[in-house]
Amino acid sequence: MNIPRSNNPRVVIIGGGFGGIALAQKLRKQEVQVVLLDKNNYHTFQPLLYQVSTGGLEPDSIAYPLRKVLIGYDNFFFRLAEVIEIIPEKKLLQTTIGELFYDYLVVATGSHTNFFGNTELEKHAMAMKSIPQSLNLRSLILENFEQALLTDEYHERDALMNFVIVGGGPTGVELAGALAEIKKGILPKDYPDLDTRRAQINIIQGRDRILDAMSEQASKKAEDFLEELGVQVWKNVRVTGYDGKTVRTQTDLTFETATLIWAAGVKGATIKGLDAKELIAGGNRLSVNEFNQVIGYPEIFAIGDIACMQSEEAPRGHPMMAQPAIQQGRNLGENLVRLINGKPLRPFVYKDKGSMATVGRNKAVCDLKNIRFQGVFAWFVWMFVHLFFLIGFRNRVVVFINWVYNYIRFDREARLIIRPFKRNYDQFRD
């Protein structure tokens, strides 16, 4: 990999997500050699992926070059590579560009979409965990409306304009709200020769309420917001299959749709060599102790979505969100320095700063530590928090300008089919 030898300990970070970047920033002025590996050369701000999928933002607004993050850092190296296997007994990584030895290894690989072993759903449903997936979804949504113009069959047209979102968490709720606003404000202008009133947005939740990780007050208000926008909310319904045309559930309820969007769960992105059953906790995550050390491997750490730190306060581990990853990355940065200097490690303590979700224009719900609120003020708080955590001044400015423009014009300029997503529409003519 052409990484020079150093007298300082080598810390290898796998993954340039929230946790990996927070750790790298914490190690900036320390006497260590840091190597960051990622299969992409950019960091993705995943909370805003749904806005790329619905044409509200272009992908470069929520992506930031990893090399730019490391500019000015001494003894820092980035390599574009995917790790194939970890060999702990040799302190060695096998990657797509060669081998690399480490003194300390940090796994921050994040998570993948979890289809819970249903291969039919995995084949036909649309995921939204990366920028390429979001661009595919954006293209498919727009292509479906273009295709709807070409058919005289009402059944086929309705299926093309029917959107089913599986998962009532923040991702599903925010996406449903965005699609409902597109139906209301944009489709009638873009497709005047199409009866877009027949377009449907359905959100399916397997439990008895949406946003079930938030307060009941927030959950109820979010559902009210969605119904105001014309979204149909189906609770206590579990999807069992989708063949590309018909969504089947555990009940007699079915949906004819060309677009099933899966937002029902994620699982840890494990790597060969650390995938033994004794290392894996719920959600396909690596079991770690209170210092984020992988159980049985004192030189290997895991942070963020891939790490499951179980305790009395968090029996299933911490939430698979940005804040735990950022906090774990910062804490681990301090602990690695303490470890190198022979000092005792400090256990990680998660500071829950609350949760929030937007349901569309002037509509959001916020559960902060000591206060809960909904509506317009919650919407402004949601925007401020997301702008604050975006990486890069340019990205903050571009996103802010886009939001202001979209708010004033009630428009989404980025509804472009840049990379067509090809699918077979013949099955809808049966």
Side-chain angles (χ1 to χ4, degrees):
M1 293 190 189
N2 288 330
I3 296 175
R5 294 188 178 184
S6 172
N7 293 326
N8 296 324
R10 176 182 289 171
V11 178
V12 178
I13 305 170
I14 308 175
F18 289 106
I21 286 181
L23 172 60
Q25 291 172 334
K26 204 68 179 178
L27 294 175
R28 178 178 183 179
K29 296 181 180 179
Q30 306 301 325
E31 293 183 355
V32 293
Q33 182 188 70
V34 178
V35 181
L36 177 62
L37 305 176
D38 199 293
K39 62 182 179 181
N40 299 309
N41 74 334
Y42 56 85
H43 164 81
T44 302
F45 190 77
Q46 291 187 341
L48 293 181
L49 279 173
Y50 82 95
Q51 294 205 8
V52 174
S53 300
T54 54
L57 295 172
E58 281 291 2
D60 61 346
S61 302
I62 65 167
Y64 196 79
L66 287 172
R67 290 190 178 277
K68 196 169 181 178
V69 174
L70 305 178
I71 286 178
Y73 286 27
D74 295 330
N75 217 11
F76 268 68
F77 302 89
F78 171 74
R79 293 294 183 266
L80 188 66
E82 188 169 0
V83 177
I84 301 171
E85 184 178 1
I86 300 170
I87 307 175
E89 57 271 17
K90 296 182 179 180
K91 292 188 176 182
L92 177 68
L93 300 179
Q94 297 278 2
T95 78
T96 51
I97 60 171
E99 297 181 343
L100 181 68
F101 288 95
Y102 62 84
D103 294 301
Y104 300 99
L105 175 66
V106 181
V107 182
T109 47
S111 57
H112 295 312
T113 302
N114 190 359
F115 291 97
F116 304 98
N118 192 317
T119 55
E120 184 187 46
L121 283 170
E122 188 172 357
K123 179 180 179 182
H124 296 289
M126 300 295 293
M128 197 181 62
K129 280 290 291 179
S130 67
I131 286 178
Q133 288 177 341
S134 294
L135 289 174
N136 286 340
L137 179 56
R138 183 178 77 178
S139 294
L140 178 61
I141 291 171
L142 296 172
E143 287 169 9
N144 284 349
F145 284 105
E146 297 295 333
Q147 186 67 25
L149 288 170
L150 306 179
T151 179
D152 295 325
E153 297 293 333
Y154 283 108
H155 181 77
E156 179 186 355
R157 186 178 296 166
D158 286 347
L160 290 166
M161 296 193 297
N162 185 15
F163 299 91
V164 177
I165 302 167
V166 184
T171 300
V173 167
E174 291 174 348
L175 182 59
L179 287 172
E181 291 193 329
I182 289 175
K183 173 187 173 181
K184 179 182 177 181
I186 294 176
L187 294 183
K189 294 183 291 186
D190 276 10
Y191 301 94
D193 48 344
L194 189 63
D195 186 4
T196 55
R197 295 172 300 176
R198 297 183 64 87
Q200 296 183 40
I201 297 98
N202 301 276
I203 184 167
I204 299 176
Q205 170 70 327
R207 299 180 182 177
D208 59 358
R209 63 186 180 97
I210 61 173
L211 297 179
D212 56 344
M214 298 182 69
S215 66
E216 290 190 16
Q217 181 182 358
S219 175
K220 178 65 170 63
K221 196 63 177 178
E223 185 174 345
D224 292 342
F225 285 149
L226 287 173
E227 290 177 347
E228 277 180 40
L229 290 168
V231 176
Q232 299 183 68
V233 181
W234 306 87
K235 294 175 288 187
N236 293 312
V237 175
R238 185 167 46 83
V239 172
T240 58
Y242 176 59
D243 58 5
K245 175 184 177 183
T246 304
V247 178
R248 305 184 302 277
T249 69
Q250 92 280 17
T251 68
D252 293 334
L253 181 67
T254 61
F255 300 85
E256 297 293 315
T257 179
T259 312
L260 175 67
I261 305 166
W262 190 263
V266 293
K267 61 180 180 179
T270 54
I271 302 174
K272 184 180 178 182
L274 287 181
D275 54 357
K277 290 183 179 179
E278 63 270 16
L279 299 178
I280 302 298
N284 201 48
R285 305 163 78 185
L286 292 173
S287 293
V288 298
N289 61 17
E290 66 271 28
F291 309 115
N292 283 99
Q293 290 171 310
V294 176
I295 304 300
Y297 297 95
E299 296 88 13
I300 302 179
F301 301 81
I303 57 176
D305 288 0
I306 190 65
C308 183
M309 185 186 296
Q310 295 172 305
S311 63
E312 291 184 6
E313 296 79 16
R316 296 184 179 179
H318 298 105
M320 299 171 77
M321 300 188 302
Q323 268 304 312
I326 293 171
Q327 293 180 32
Q328 287 179 354
R330 292 171 179 169
N331 185 72
L332 180 56
E334 295 177 357
N335 271 340
L336 283 172
V337 176
R338 298 177 70 87
L339 184 63
I340 292 168
N341 294 329
K343 297 180 179 179
L345 305 184
R346 291 178 178 171
F348 172 72
V349 179
Y350 175 50
K351 297 178 182 178
D352 188 356
K353 297 185 178 181
S355 53
M356 58 186 66
T358 181
V359 197
R361 183 187 182 93
N362 296 333
K363 299 178 177 68
V365 293
C366 285
D367 285 353
L368 303 184
K369 188 173 183 180
N370 298 314
I371 187 173
R372 296 168 182 169
F373 50 96
Q374 304 86 34
V376 177
F377 181 64
W379 186 64
F380 279 109
V381 172
W382 179 91
M383 287 195 297
F384 173 79
V385 169
H386 283 68
L387 283 173
F388 179 80
F389 281 103
L390 268 170
I391 297 179
F393 176 77
R394 173 195 171 275
N395 284 10
R396 294 190 185 105
V397 171
V398 170
V399 170
F400 178 73
I401 291 174
N402 270 274
W403 283 350
V404 171
Y405 179 86
N406 293 344
Y407 186 83
I408 295 173
R409 297 291 303 274
F410 212 116
D411 203 356
R412 290 171 178 259
E413 292 288 342
R415 47 189 189 276
L416 310 171
I417 305 174
I418 299 296
R419 36 181 290 169
F421 184 81
K422 298 297 183 182
R423 70 164 300 161
N424 180 18
Y425 289 102
D426 292 338
Q427 58 187 323
F428 296 101
R429 301 188 183 119
D430 183 2

